[in-house]
């Protein structure tokens, strides 16, 4: 969650927590460089903090960033890394993405190669996002995938970010399964 | 839900609500033309109101109309749009559809191309439904699909409409998966 | 549930009930011929009562009979109807079937063609079951499938019948999915 | 659970219990040879006790051992028995295994042929594990599969063992499904 804008501050999960049992003390505040600003000794933020910071800086009006590890996201991102993105086209559910008004559209979800070097990855994301036009009523992207890793998506608030998770994950499953589905038998 | 018949009135979900957290105030009443009749300022009905109205008008004794977005419905409707319908044949579960008394039957679930033009789509549905015989003990159709979008189904009351959702969705999964299943190894 | 043995009486779901919301009054008692013995006017037993009666008569020590409609049971029974049975071989989970002591075995789950003629179907089951040896410590069958319909299974009590549902359904999914799974990439 | 180290004692599920309804009295204590040490008459430990004992003896610092029967573990272990192991490579989720620090790695999950001879199987496991280097910061294996049977995994405590179940099962599903997924359509 973005909890401050000037200067930028995020509230983010502490490192190594069981995500199914998070409590009040399992979050830390970090600054734009990903440094913990409210930590006592030993409190560290999630390894992927820098990606959250990059998104919060680059995407206008972002209020929350979510990261998921799903089976279909993991598979599709691996299969489509060579293309550089997963194409999602013609689905009504695309309208669940902020600013999308019709199913007659194509969304390309960027896929980045996975790496443990968060600084390099954040730089790649900054570079790719800086080249996009964020001023239109429809944002150029609503999320991205790390190959064989998972999804990052966001929204103006937590509810929108959660909706974007649900939309992306539903569509990943549709895209993947549709590749395996034969047409009707004659 | 059909809440009045003369004149026709429906109670329908307001636009843009989280369907997993609907409360008393998240529904509006609309007339046969889809106009909100109980709304204060800013209350609008679901974008697909006209389809609900068309169904409520055309299908005798309908008391409730439901619309779902499932993975299998999305996939099958995309795969079978060219045929114009999804054929479901020989399954016992077909007997869950009102008026169906034996598995030895074939049901064709119409598939319409998806569109954002609800007026045009409602007209298409009216045309197709007007040509059907609704006087027999077995209704000619119990639902239809919008391609890569989802299912509309209905019933005399909410319980029957829910049962029709469950039956259609189960059968969509069976039809889709059976296309992928090889026979027993010799 | 078998509630009497001499004469045979079963407690069975009433016809047309929502199986997810059964209460005390949603069951009726029937005799060996499937006639309701405790019903007021209008109380009728499930359409498939005769199959439950046939099983209760033919299978020694049966205390409960369960019937399920699952996706995998529906698919496999359709795919393997021509063979006359679904073969399940070499799975540890087979040991969940009463009397099975090792995975090094093969179980053939009979598949009967589906029909709405319960008298004829019950006769077929009687004929097939009467030819089996029920005196051994391992029962010859623990369940059967109706093609594109579902599973019948049973046990000495409800807990065992439920375990047999769980075991069969798990194994149906394994058998079906294993037909679709390629081996490891070299 | 390892409840004593000198001499080794494990707390283990009693034989034949419904795993979804375990209570305080459904566990027994066993010694290193798998003999029940706190049992009254008729209390016996799970058939696979010897495997738990072998793991507890051979794997340094193990505090808990878990055994699961999942569809994907059952399928993959059957498909890859010929190779002798399931290879899992390049997934971020591998970092959920203790000591794994990067996705750029390959994990081989050993697959043993299933058998009802627990003494022979425990000996095989001892032999294979004794040849591994357990002194490095990354353990050589975190679990193994019995073909068409299921997973054994462990951890320093129950939470880590549960995490290893979750990680293995997620990755089994990814590996199996990725074999069935075609790439993007051109």
């Amino acid at each position: 969650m973005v909890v401050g804008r000037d200067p930028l501050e995020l509230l983010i999960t502490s490192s190594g927590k069981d995500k199914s049992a998070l409590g009040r003390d399992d979050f830390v505040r970090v600054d734009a460089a990903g440094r913990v600003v409210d930590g006592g000794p030993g409190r560290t933020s999630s390894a992927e903090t820098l990606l959250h910071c990059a998104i919060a800086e680059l995407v206008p009006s972002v209020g929350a960033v979510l990261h998921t590890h799903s089976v279909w996201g993991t598979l599709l991102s691996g299969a489509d890394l060579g293309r550089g993105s997963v194409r999602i086209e013609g689905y009504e559910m695309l309208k669940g993405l902020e600013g999308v008004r019709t199913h007659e559209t194509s969304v390309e979800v960027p896929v980045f190669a996975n790496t443990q070097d968060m600084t390099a990855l954040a730089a790649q994301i900054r570079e790719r996002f800086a080249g996009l036009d964020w001023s239109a009523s429809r944002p150029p992207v609503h999320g991205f995938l790390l190959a064989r890793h998972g999804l990052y998506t966001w929204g103006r608030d937590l509810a929108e970010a959660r909706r974007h998770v649900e939309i992306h994950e539903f569509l990943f499953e549709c895209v993947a399964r549709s590749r395996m589905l034969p047409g009707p038998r004659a």
Side-chain angles (χ1 to χ4, degrees), chain A:
Chain A
M1 299 281 297
V2 175
V3 291
R5 267 289 167 195
D6 191 11
L8 184 68
E9 268 191 17
L10 303 182
L11 188 69
I12 193 167
T13 321
S14 299
S15 182
K17 297 292 174 178
D18 179 342
K19 300 300 184 292
S20 69
L22 292 175
R24 283 197 156 262
D25 295 337
D26 296 328
F27 298 86
V28 292
R29 294 220 317 276
V30 298
D31 66 14
R35 285 175 300 236
V36 176
V37 295
D38 70 343
R43 284 170 67 85
T44 54
S45 65
S46 160
E48 286 143 354
T49 299
L50 283 179
L51 304 191
H52 290 255
C53 292
I55 294 163
E57 260 192 77
L58 292 163
V59 179
S61 312
V62 80
V65 178
L66 293 173
H67 174 41
T68 55
H69 292 189
S70 73
V71 168
W72 296 110
T74 298
L75 292 184
L76 262 191
S77 60
D80 292 15
L81 174 61
R83 272 191 92 246
S85 61
V86 173
R87 178 179 295 161
I88 309 178
E89 198 168 13
Y91 291 100
E92 177 73 10
M93 201 67 106
L94 285 165
K95 288 168 59 189
L97 299 177
E98 192 56 29
V100 176
R101 304 269 176 255
T102 173
H103 67 287
E104 294 181 282
T105 190
S106 175
V107 163
E108 300 279 350
V109 182
V111 182
F112 296 97
N114 195 23
T115 171
Q116 302 304 319
D117 181 345
M118 289 302 122
T119 308
L121 184 52
Q124 265 189 283
I125 291 164
R126 278 174 204 278
E127 191 186 328
R128 185 130 166 198
F129 277 28
L132 300 172
D133 174 11
W134 294 93
S135 67
S137 65
R138 172 175 158 180
V141 295
H142 300 81
F144 60 83
L145 286 158
L146 302 183
R148 297 185 181 268
H149 177 160
L151 170 71
Y152 277 83
T153 187
W154 49 82
R156 286 167 302 189
D157 51 28
L158 192 55
E160 190 175 293
R162 286 177 63 121
R163 197 183 77 220
H164 284 168
V165 167
E166 188 182 352
I167 296 288
H168 278 104
E169 296 291 354
F170 178 90
L171 290 167
F172 292 158
E173 183 173 350
C174 286
V175 168
R177 286 196 189 274
S178 75
R179 292 184 190 172
M180 299 188 280
L181 183 68
R185 286 163 187 165

